[in-house]
Amino acid sequence: MKEAIVGKGPKVLIIDSPIPEPGPDQIVTKVIVSGSNPKDWKRAEATEKPLNQGDDIAGIVHSIGSNVYEFKPGDRVAAFHQMMSPGGSFAEYAVSWSHTTFHLPQKTSFEEGATVPLASMTAAVGLYQRLALPLPWHPTNERIPLIVYGAASAVGSYVIQLAKQSNIHPLICVAGRGIPHVESLIDKSKGDTIIDYRDGDDKVVEAFKSAAKDNGGKIEYAFDAVSEKNSYKNICKVLDSKSGAIALVLPGKEYSAIPPTIRKAQTAVGTVHKAMDTDPFQNRGGTEVGTPDFGFVMYRLIARGLNEGWFKGHPFEVVPGGLGGIEGALKNLKDGKASAVKYVFRIADTDGVGKS
């Protein structure tokens, strides 16, 4: 099969590789469309050995492991591949764990499906595992203001959609060129609003303070889907100094500018693939529920949301050339050229696919 290996630059090399075999709890999917994420170039920059960095799978089940019971060959699925492990989505065939694989409704295209896995779970883990906000099946009846910084990004957009299912409002959204997209997601009748970061940091903070005044003078929760360029510094100028909590998406940073009295947590979406987690409910007897279990349940809810229409994939752009288009797309992501759009790749458009 053809497989794209991503190195520093980013530079992409397309090679011939054997079709992977699934482990007992794994699924091998024939990839119809692969998604992409900013981490695909960022991880490549931080790693000496080039690797297939793709993690968003959408396609048809090819083979299953001996313990897999929900899926069979021929099923339409999407899946979150385990980051930094073999079998990524930048290939004709990819590997995923069964618990981070979900059925793709017939109404959902493979292109839309490829925008969902990693970013949607990042949103879910941040909202519910890190900020401990009310779950969609236990929606709140109370007013809970939530700042969503980077609301037009895929993660930010999924934060909005999930928060709405939890009846979390008002959503105080920060965006720029993607404001029209955010407008299509929020509910202004419940106080949701948008702040344009292009007006400058002072204006953003001023708008935050105005929003806080409209909500009893207190904002306790923020989801920072940017986590750089002063985003969290702006948030912390209004977040409650005693009870505030912020979810951050970028790993490997200390975020020393965040006051010690504000609870900060990195989303760490990769924990849905790990047995060990810092979940406070671990080791208390009964059924242990950690982040892998949370991922299992949440992906099935997201699949239901796609089918029922209350959850939608992110706007996407199909990059010409299949795997051959990955390098250019990752360079665009690195240069900040993508706004309110996900780059996706139709594997069949790759030169030489099906010939090896």
Side-chain angles (χ1 to χ4, degrees), residues 103-286:
H103 289 282
L104 208 55
Q106 288 294 329
K107 66 172 66 174
T108 304
S109 69
F110 290 116
E111 289 80 6
E112 181 182 0
T115 72
V116 172
L118 186 152
S120 68
M121 190 53 59
T122 301
V125 169
L127 280 174
Y128 305 121
Q129 295 291 89
R130 308 305 176 218
L131 295 179
L133 288 165
L135 290 154
W137 46 88
H138 289 301
T140 182
N141 291 318
E142 300 178 357
R143 193 174 178 87
I144 303 179
L146 172 69
I147 293 174
V148 184
Y149 216 114
S153 67
V155 172
S157 298
Y158 294 142
V159 168
I160 293 171
Q161 295 184 64
L162 291 171
K164 286 167 61 180
Q165 284 302 111
S166 295
N167 200 31
I168 296 169
H169 296 282
L171 300 174
I172 305 156
C173 303
V174 181
R177 285 178 295 159
I179 283 177
H181 169 63
V182 180
E183 291 271 8
S184 72
L185 298 175
I186 63 173
D187 187 345
K188 290 187 175 180
S189 72
K190 295 187 177 181
D192 297 351
T193 188
I194 302 174
I195 299 168
D196 192 335
Y197 72 81
R198 294 171 297 182
D199 292 337
D201 290 341
D202 290 343
K203 291 289 186 181
V204 170
V205 173
E206 183 180 325
F208 281 161
K209 290 180 178 178
S210 177
K213 186 177 180 181
D214 293 340
N215 290 280
K218 180 183 287 190
I219 298 176
E220 295 182 294
Y221 299 101
F223 194 119
D224 187 353
V226 178
S227 301
E228 59 184 355
K229 299 177 182 177
N230 290 335
S231 59
Y232 54 91
K233 294 179 183 178
N234 292 340
I235 291 169
C236 289
K237 290 178 180 178
V238 70
L239 209 59
D240 190 85
S241 61
K242 295 181 180 179
S243 58
I246 182 171
L248 302 144
V249 297
L250 293 185
K253 296 180 66 173
E254 293 186 6
Y255 299 103
S256 58
I258 297 176
T261 54
I262 290 177
R263 180 167 59 89
K264 59 183 177 182
Q266 295 185 27
T267 50
V269 67
T271 55
V272 299
H273 286 130
K274 297 178 181 179
M276 297 297 292
D277 190 25
T278 56
D279 190 288
F281 296 102
Q282 288 279 20
N283 302 318
R284 292 190 181 181

Side-chain angles (χ1 to χ4, degrees), residues 320-333:
L323 298 177
I326 291 174
E327 182 174 312
L330 295 188
K331 286 181 178 177
N332 283 345
L333 287 175

